[in-house]
Amino acid sequence: MARAPAFPDPEGYRRRRLMDLARLLPLLGLCLFLLPVLDADDGLGAGLLIYLFAAWFGLIATATLLARRLCAASAPAPDPAKPGAEAGGQEGAE
């Protein structure tokens, strides 16, 4: 009877953690947007608006990076044994 490996597959583990982070990103955004607004006594000042736009930009940049890393992690590696694998896999499309 073979034993299960002591540690999970590192690539699969990283991909699952990236997916977890992508799922928590909206909650992070909610906290980033609501906490300063709830604390503002005198309304939305210029500093608070700058903070909100910076947080918004940070969330967009984080989501973009996460999406790229998740797409790269889920794409299968090209098989060097297949002819035309690096050319997009279009065999015989003339």
Side-chain angles (χ1 to χ4, degrees), residues 6-57:
F7 298 103
D9 175 35
E11 290 302 317
Y13 179 78
R14 285 187 196 111
R15 185 169 183 268
R16 284 192 301 273
R17 297 297 75 87
L18 284 173
M19 290 172 57
D20 291 343
L21 184 60
R23 288 183 187 120
L24 288 177
L25 197 60
L27 293 176
L28 175 67
L30 185 69
C31 291
L32 284 174
F33 286 149
L34 286 184
L35 289 177
V37 172
L38 292 174
D39 190 40
D41 293 331
D42 57 347
L44 294 175
L48 187 58
L49 286 175
I50 291 171
Y51 166 79
L52 288 175
F53 277 104
W56 185 26
F57 177 74

